[in-house]
Amino acid sequence: MIEIYNVLIYNPILNLLIWLYNSVPGHDVGVAIILVTIAIRFVLAPFMHKSLKNQKAMNALQPKLNEVREKYKGDKEGQAKAMMELYKDHNVSPFSSCLPMLIQLPVLIALYQVLNYALNGNLTGLYSFVSNPGTVNPFFLGVVDLSKANLVFAIIAGLLQYVQTKMMMPTGPNNDPTTKALNLQALYFFPIITIVFAWRLPAGLPLYWIVNTLFAIVQQWYVAKKSESRQ
C-alpha cells in the first residue's frame, strides 16, 4: 500500500517540485510550490467542477428540502426516504461535495512529506531525468522561510477558507434550525481550524492551501455565473 502511495502520489509530486525548482529563475521553491498547486488543480479540475455544480444544485434544492422537512416533521424515516427520492429525481448527490476533500487529503499528506523531506535535504525518490540540486533553498522571494511556520500565511489561508465557505452557503431561505446551525459552524469553524493547523505546519503547506483556495474561489464564482446566465 505504501509502495502504491509512493509511486502514484509522493514520487510524482516530489519530482515535479524539484524539476520546477531546478527550472524556475532564481530556484525559488515558493514559486515551484505555486506551480505544483496549479498543476494539481488542473488535474483535479473535472472532479472539482462536478462537485461545485452539485453543490449549486443542492443549494437550489433547499426550498424543496425544507418542504419535505416540514411535511415529515417527527417522522425521521419518512423524511429521509422523501429526501433521497428528491435527490434521485434531481440527479443530485448529498455526498459529492466530500469527494474533492477525500481526493485532496492524500495530496496534502504527500506534499507535507515532500516539503518536510526536501527542505531538509532528503531527496530520495527522484527520477533519473530529474537533476538532484543537493539542497533546496527554503526561502520564498528571499523573505519567507517555507520550512518554518508562518502566522501571516496561516491567517491568509483561514480568511480565504472563510470566503470559500461563505460562497458555498445556500442563498435562499432555510427554515431548518439544524442546517442553519451546521452552516454557521462550518462558516467559522473551518477557517479557525485552518489557521490553527496552518500555524503549526511549515509555511510551504499554507502557501499551497492559499493558492489552492484562490483557485477554488475563482472556480466557484465561474460556476455560479455560468449557472445564472442559463437561467
Side-chain angles (χ1 to χ4, degrees):
M1 193 69 179
I2 294 176
E3 188 64 30
I4 294 174
Y5 162 79
N6 287 336
V7 170
L8 295 181
I9 303 176
Y10 177 85
N11 286 344
I13 291 176
L14 169 66
N15 282 272
L16 179 59
L17 179 70
I18 298 304
W19 179 76
L20 288 168
Y21 175 78
N22 290 334
S23 303
V24 297
H27 302 296
D28 193 312
V29 71
V31 175
I33 290 172
I34 291 171
L35 294 175
V36 167
T37 308
I38 293 171
I40 292 173
R41 285 298 306 191
F42 272 110
V43 171
L44 299 181
F47 302 100
M48 300 295 183
H49 189 73
K50 185 176 181 180
S51 175
L52 289 173
K53 286 180 68 177
N54 186 85
Q55 184 64 45
K56 187 72 177 175
M58 281 286 293
N59 290 346
L61 207 58
Q62 280 302 319
K64 291 184 179 181
L65 289 172
N66 290 336
E67 290 176 9
V68 168
R69 293 187 185 99
E70 191 64 31
K71 182 178 179 180
Y72 293 92
K73 186 180 291 185
D75 181 5
K76 294 296 182 182
E77 186 177 343
Q79 186 181 106
K81 185 178 179 181
M83 282 185 172
M84 292 308 295
E85 289 177 355
L86 193 61
Y87 292 141
K88 185 177 179 180
D89 291 342
H90 289 80
N91 196 27
V92 172
S93 170
F95 309 109
S96 70
S97 59
C98 300
L99 182 61
M101 184 54 69
L102 292 176
I103 295 173
Q104 285 194 82
L105 188 58
V107 174
L108 278 171
I109 294 172
L111 189 61
Y112 169 74
Q113 292 178 327
V114 164
L115 292 174
N116 190 42
Y117 293 141
L119 294 178
N120 285 289
N122 186 345
L123 299 175
T124 304
L126 288 180
Y127 302 144
S128 59
F129 56 85
V130 177
S131 175
N132 189 331
T135 58
V136 176
N137 186 344
F139 281 90
F140 175 40
L141 301 178
V143 178
V144 182
D145 186 348
L146 297 181
S147 67
K148 298 178 180 178
N150 186 286
L151 179 58
V152 174
F153 275 25
I155 292 173
I156 294 173
L159 290 174
L160 289 174
Q161 184 66 54
Y162 173 85
V163 173
Q164 183 188 8
T165 306
K166 183 75 173 177
M167 290 175 69
M168 293 176 68
M169 294 293 175
T171 54
N174 186 357
N175 300 321
D176 181 50
T178 303
T179 304
K180 283 182 179 179
L182 289 173
N183 287 341
L184 193 63
Q185 287 178 15
L187 184 61
Y188 296 104
F189 179 73
F190 288 159
I192 291 172
I193 287 296
T194 299
I195 292 173
V196 170
F197 275 95
W199 195 7
R200 295 172 179 269
L201 296 170
L205 207 62
L207 176 60
Y208 164 82
W209 196 253
I210 288 168
V211 179
N212 186 65
T213 308
L214 278 172
F215 263 80
I217 290 171
V218 172
Q219 195 170 16
Q220 283 176 229
W221 175 84
Y222 173 77
V223 170
K225 285 296 180 182
K226 196 171 181 180
S227 178
E228 288 174 6
S229 65
R230 288 177 177 176
Q231 294 176 358

